């Protein structure tokens, strides 16, 4: 197969909406295929149209249920939706939890929907490297909306989801899912707060806590113009989807009117370029690992001929090929 890769044809098929071609492209990203750069070059002219929405929050808060609910609502608006689910807490299934798979199965036969669990382990450069590339694939394949679901626990997941055009942060009533359960960094990146499981006791307490927190941070961040709305949902019963979509639309309109969309995309592209460059440097460094240059430099450090900073400078010079 590998030798037979016809990049132009594959890109054409993906743009024509063939799921197998989209799937193949995402695999090329995951496998870090030797011809990936050719593929990405071919995709790039067709990108820039998708609305990228990040969805994060503590485990069990209802992210996957909400993703499924939003999928249905967006489909009802005639939009094509791609989903990237990133769940590193599930090492045995490659990211897809059983419940997720069952939930998502209802969308499985819909050609306007594409769902992918991202395998991230073992990826040199990790999430920050592979996720933007995967978004690029779905964007070029003509998906109007790309939803990225991540667990808001690790720094790398937070870093990834904040690259979206709009970030939804989910909370739920209860000690494990409430405002205190979320890392400060996650609350800061929220554009829209969703209090899910509003069918449960304590939902109003969670809303109140959030309002207090927002009021506090607004005093600190004076001049910040976007007021993060709080939407209540019961994702398990498909309640609140319209309100979430409305909040997304309003945020989108604000992004466009304030020039924020362009600046977010600039940050996203910068992160992408940095991740690619860093990974390339790391892999060249790894190639050097057993190499002579590093050995000789190391010896000179041990012999106190060189200080380690100068040795590192030397090493970087040998990387510039
Ligand atoms: N009571 C209630 N349970 C919900 C709601 N939304 C999701 N759940 C349940 O919460 C559990 C975790 O949901 P899931 O979407 O897998 O959470 P995730 O880990 O954030 O993706 C599941 O058992 C869902 O059925 C809701 O609005 N109300
Ligand atoms: Mg989930």
């Amino acid at each position: 197969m590998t030798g037979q890769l016809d990049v132009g044809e594959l890109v054409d098929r993906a743009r024509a909406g063939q799921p197998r071609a989209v799937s193949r492209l995402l695999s090329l990203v995951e496998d870090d295929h030797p011809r990936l750069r050719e593929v990405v070059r071919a995709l790039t002219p067709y990108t820039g149209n998708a609305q990228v929405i990040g969805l994060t929050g503590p485990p069990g808060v209802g992210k996957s249920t909400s993703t499924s609910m939003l999928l249905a609502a967006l489909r009802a608006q005639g939009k094509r939706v791609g989903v990237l689910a990133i769940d590193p807490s599930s090492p045995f299934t490659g990211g897809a939890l059983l419940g997720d798979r069952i939930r998502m199965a209802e969308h499985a036969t819909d050609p306007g929907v594409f769902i992918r669990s991202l395998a991230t382990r073992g990826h040199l450069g990790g999430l920050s490297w592979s996720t933007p590339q995967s978004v690029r694939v779905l964007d070029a394949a003509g998906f109007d909306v790309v939803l990225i679901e991540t667990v808001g626990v690790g720094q790398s997941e937070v870093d990834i989801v904040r690259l979206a055009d709009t970030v939804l942060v989910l909370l739920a009533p209860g000690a494990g899912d409430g405002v205190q359960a979320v890392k400060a960094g996650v609350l800061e990146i929220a554009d829209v707060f969703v209090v899910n499981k509003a069918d449960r006791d304590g939902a109003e307490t969670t809303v109140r806590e959030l309002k207090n927190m927002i009021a506090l941070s607004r005093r600190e961040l004076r001049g910040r113009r976007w007021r993060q709305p709080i939407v209540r949902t019961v994702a398990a019963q498909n309640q609140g989807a319209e309100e979430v979509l409305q909040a997304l639309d309003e945020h989108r309109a604000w992004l466009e009117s304030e020039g924020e969309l362009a600046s977010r995309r600039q940050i996203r592209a910068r992160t992408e370029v940095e991740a690619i460059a860093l990974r390339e440097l790391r892999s060249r460094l790894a190639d050097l690992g057993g190499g002579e240059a590093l050995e000789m430099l190391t010896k000179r450090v041990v012999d106190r001929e060189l200080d380690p900073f100068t040795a590192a400078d030397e090493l970087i010079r040998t990387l510039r090929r």
Side-chain angles (χ1 to χ4, degrees), residues 41 117 126 133 140 149 172 182 194 218 228 230 268 284-285 316 319:
R41 197 181 308 139
S117 283
Q133 305 307 325
E149 177 193 335
V182 187
V194 176
R218 195 167 283 139
Q228 299 141 304
I230 303 172
R268 189 151 87 219
R284 287 191 195 179
L285 207 54
I316 289 166
L319 292 177

Side-chain angles (χ1 to χ4, degrees), residues 59-60 62-65 67 85-87 95 97 100 103-104 149-151:
K63 293 179 297 300
S64 298
T65 314
T67 298
I86 302 166
D87 191 348
L97 296 161
D100 289 357
R103 246 191 311 273
M104 296 303 174
E149 177 193 335
T150 78
V151 185

Side-chain angles (χ1 to χ4, degrees), residues 26-58:
L26 290 171
S27 296
L28 294 178
V29 171
E30 277 178 13
D31 301 345
D32 189 12
H33 192 277
R35 291 179 66 194
L36 184 60
R37 63 171 59 209
E38 222 180 300
V39 170
V40 172
R41 197 181 308 139
L43 291 173
T44 297
Y46 307 114
T47 56
N49 303 312
Q51 183 180 3
V52 184
I53 296 168
L55 201 151
T56 194

Side-chain angles (χ1 to χ4, degrees), residues 176-187:
D177 301 328
V179 178
Q180 298 84 353
V182 187
K183 297 206 320 183
V186 174
L187 295 175

